[in-house]
């Protein structure tokens, strides 16, 4: 573990700092944390090895997040669409969730995370899935069909500016701009 933190070159470290909202210290900490997720024989190959989705989800910072599977899906560049992450995917995720990321970046990624069917809009099914993630699907927390329909109707009434029955990215960003807590609550700190 100790030797792997020196495997990142100063040039690459500077490049990552330039391309993300992370400090050099945060990048080095992420490098060490990512290396810890890799199998024993691959810890020295952090920049070339993908961490499995299961390992990423084992991080305490993601374990309790109701959107953890979607987060892996959105930030993973795996050709297999398996939610695994490269170190650069991991950095992208941490950067988007960092305190220094802009509201525009945070809302863009939040929108992608909430767009469960990946069609570029939040439709009624996406909103239903989003609410279920937030409330849980246990009998004591799950909304009735009538409650869910009313909530979705209210969300669309408030958010769907062009009245097409969906929320697009700019409509979502408009809603987020009126929510001062969003930027500070959309974060993951290792």
């Amino acid at each position: 573990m100790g030797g792997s933190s020196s495997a990142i070159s100063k040039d690459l470290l500077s490049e990552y700092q330039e391309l993300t909202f992370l400090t050099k210290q945060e990048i080095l900490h992420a490098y060490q944390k990512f290396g810890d997720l890799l199998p024993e024989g691959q810890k020295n190959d952090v920049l070339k090895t993908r961490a499995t989705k299961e390992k990423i989800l084992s991080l305490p910072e993601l374990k309790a997040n109701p959107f953890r599977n979607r987060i892996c899906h959105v930030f993973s560049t795996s050709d297999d669409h398996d939610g695994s992450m490269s170190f650069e995917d991991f950095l992208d995720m941490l950067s988007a969730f960092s305190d220094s990321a802009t509201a525009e970046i945070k809302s863009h990624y939040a929108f992608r995370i909430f767009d469960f069917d990946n069609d570029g809009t939040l439709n009624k099914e996406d909103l239903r899935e989003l609410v279920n993630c937030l409330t849980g699907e246990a009998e004591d927390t799950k909304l009735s069909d009538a409650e869910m329909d009313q909530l979705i109707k209210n969300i669309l009434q408030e958010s769907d500016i062009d009245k097409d029955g969906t929320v697009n990215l700019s409509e979502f960003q408009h809603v987020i701009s009126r929510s001062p807590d969003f930027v500070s609550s959309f974060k993951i700190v290792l």
Side-chain angles (χ1 to χ4, degrees):
M1 184 178 86
S4 68
S5 66
S6 61
I8 190 167
S9 72
K10 284 186 171 147
D11 288 345
L12 193 54
L13 185 59
S14 293
E15 186 178 332
Y16 286 149
Q17 186 179 15
E18 207 172 291
L19 295 171
T20 67
F21 294 101
L22 303 172
T23 65
K24 287 182 181 179
Q25 276 308 112
E26 289 169 325
I27 294 165
L28 289 171
H29 183 65
Y31 185 86
Q32 187 246 325
K33 205 66 163 166
F34 188 80
D36 291 345
L37 298 174
L38 301 177
E40 235 6 89
Q42 297 174 320
K43 290 187 186 291
N44 291 331
D45 234 356
V46 171
L47 299 176
K48 295 180 183 147
T49 306
R50 300 186 74 78
T52 64
K53 178 180 175 180
E54 293 70 35
K55 284 293 192 179
I56 298 290
L57 294 179
S58 73
L59 289 168
E61 298 82 5
L62 282 177
K63 203 178 272 190
N65 190 311
F67 300 101
R68 61 191 168 273
N69 287 309
R70 286 294 303 160
I71 291 169
C72 283
H73 174 81
V74 166
F75 287 96
S76 172
T77 58
S78 170
D79 292 336
D80 297 333
H81 306 287
D82 59 4
S84 67
M85 288 192 194
S86 67
F87 176 64
E88 290 183 355
D89 295 341
F90 190 66
L91 276 186
D92 285 344
M93 176 187 74
L94 294 176
S95 179
F97 281 102
S98 78
D99 284 331
S100 303
T102 64
E104 186 178 348
I105 293 289
K106 287 178 178 280
S107 61
H108 169 81
Y109 280 106
F111 183 84
R112 288 190 56 205
I113 290 165
F114 300 156
D115 181 13
F116 288 88
D117 60 8
N118 303 308
D119 69 351
T121 64
L122 302 183
N123 58 33
K124 289 180 181 179
E125 281 309 306
D126 291 323
L127 295 173
R128 185 176 308 278
E129 189 81 27
L130 187 146
V131 170
N132 283 336
C133 280
L134 292 173
T135 62
E137 295 196 53
E139 285 308 309
D140 60 332
T141 60
K142 188 174 181 169
L143 299 181
S144 70
D145 288 343
E147 291 169 324
M148 181 68 81
D149 290 343
Q150 185 60 50
L151 181 57
I152 290 171
K153 182 180 172 191
N154 292 349
I155 292 169
L156 288 172
Q157 198 169 17
E158 184 75 23
S159 310
D160 183 17
I161 297 166
D162 64 9
K163 302 298 178 210
D164 67 350
T166 65
V167 179
N168 63 36
L169 178 59
S170 64
E171 291 168 332
F172 180 78
Q173 288 176 324
H174 177 72
V175 170
I176 293 302
S177 71
R178 298 182 312 192
S179 175
D181 294 343
F182 172 75
V183 171
S184 61
S185 61
F186 191 79
K187 68 179 178 181
I188 294 175
V189 180
L190 286 182

